[in-house]
């Protein structure tokens, strides 16, 4: 498994950011019985940079806390059965040719938003960063929150991850 983490900011936090992100990613994968070795890219950035990406990809000209870019399209969130039926062409499209790992997707998290939201919600920066990483992992698994039913399912999954990791408010 490859978890690439790039911090584009000068923000220093008082805990091991890479260790936290890897813990959340690994737990999310394990909790869903993800069946393959995979690659995930995480970019920690500023509000200014995430705003640029948000505008480019979503046509929303404001900063946000997290953006997720799943590499796969799911018939059903969290259901990975379709991966076992891939053709060689599909496998070549979605797997790193050097490692053979499935490219699960990318996430971008604004550390400025992390700090502001932690303060606003009255919990730690560590908790907020872990939550946004868990939230993004669920998007990489095909979950969404555009409709009420989807939102309830995704929130329940987020709670399970955070409680299992004992990172609570």
């Amino acid at each position: 498994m490859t978890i690439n983490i790039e911090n584009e900011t000068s923000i220093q936090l008082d805990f091991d950011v890479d260790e936290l992100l890897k813990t959340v990613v690994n737990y999310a994968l394990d909790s869903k019985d993800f069946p393959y070795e995979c690659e995930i890219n995480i970019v920690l950035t500023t509000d200014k940079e995430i705003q640029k990406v948000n505008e480019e990809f979503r046509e929303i000209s404001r900063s946000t806390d997290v953006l997720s870019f799943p590499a796969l399209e799911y018939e059903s969130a969290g259901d990975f059965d379709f991966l076992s039926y891939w053709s060689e062409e599909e496998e070549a499209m979605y797997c790193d040719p050097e490692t053979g790992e499935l490219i699960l997707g990318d996430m971008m998290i604004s550390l400025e938003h992390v700090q502001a939201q932690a303060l606003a919600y009255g919990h730690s920066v560590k908790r907020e960063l872990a939550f946004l990483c868990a939230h993004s992992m669920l998007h990489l698994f095909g979950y969404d929150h555009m409709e009420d039913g989807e939102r309830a399912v995704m929130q329940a999954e987020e709670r399970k991850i955070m409680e299992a990791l004992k990172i609570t408010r």
Side-chain angles (χ1 to χ4, degrees):
M1 151 117 72
T2 303
I3 304 170
N4 298 308
I5 302 170
E6 180 181 348
N7 188 344
E8 298 178 337
T9 77
S10 60
I11 296 171
Q12 298 295 312
L13 301 176
D14 62 356
F15 56 89
D16 188 331
V17 171
D18 288 9
E19 180 181 325
L20 175 68
L21 294 171
K22 288 176 182 179
T23 297
V24 174
V25 166
N26 282 312
Y27 183 81
L29 290 165
D30 290 346
S31 73
K32 290 296 175 192
D33 295 321
F34 191 76
Y36 300 98
E37 289 296 311
C38 65
E39 177 180 316
I40 296 164
N41 299 300
I42 303 172
V43 175
L44 304 173
T45 193
T46 63
D47 281 349
K48 181 179 177 182
E49 291 304 313
I50 208 167
Q51 178 178 347
K52 289 178 188 176
V53 175
N54 201 22
E55 186 165 16
E56 179 181 347
F57 288 94
R58 298 177 62 219
E59 298 180 355
I60 298 173
S61 184
R62 68 174 189 276
S63 65
T64 188
D65 51 6
V66 62
L67 292 172
S68 306
F69 301 96
L72 307 173
E73 290 186 33
Y74 297 86
E75 290 181 26
S76 180
D79 181 358
F80 310 111
D81 288 342
F82 71 96
L83 296 172
S84 62
Y85 303 108
W86 271 7
S87 67
E88 285 184 26
E89 293 82 22
E90 287 170 313
E91 193 170 306
M93 257 179 25
Y94 294 104
C95 292
D96 183 308
E98 292 180 23
T99 65
E101 293 176 327
L102 176 67
I103 300 169
L104 193 57
D106 305 327
M107 67 178 80
M108 180 178 250
I109 301 173
S110 167
L111 289 183
E112 291 172 333
H113 251 73
V114 167
Q115 291 176 316
Q117 287 178 178
L119 183 62
Y121 299 145
H123 56 241
S124 71
V125 170
K126 181 177 182 178
R127 191 265 177 211
E128 186 65 18
L129 182 58
F131 173 80
L132 292 175
C133 182
H135 179 88
S136 190
M137 284 300 296
L138 291 169
H139 279 306
L140 299 187
F141 294 152
Y143 289 86
D144 209 344
H145 47 80
M146 297 306 287
E147 298 176 17
D148 288 340
E150 293 174 332
R151 184 177 304 109
V153 169
M154 190 164 176
Q155 288 172 338
E157 292 293 327
E158 291 165 344
R159 271 192 303 280
K160 285 181 197 175
I161 293 170
M162 298 302 288
E163 288 172 4
L165 293 172
K166 296 180 178 27
I167 304 174
T168 58
R169 292 181 179 197

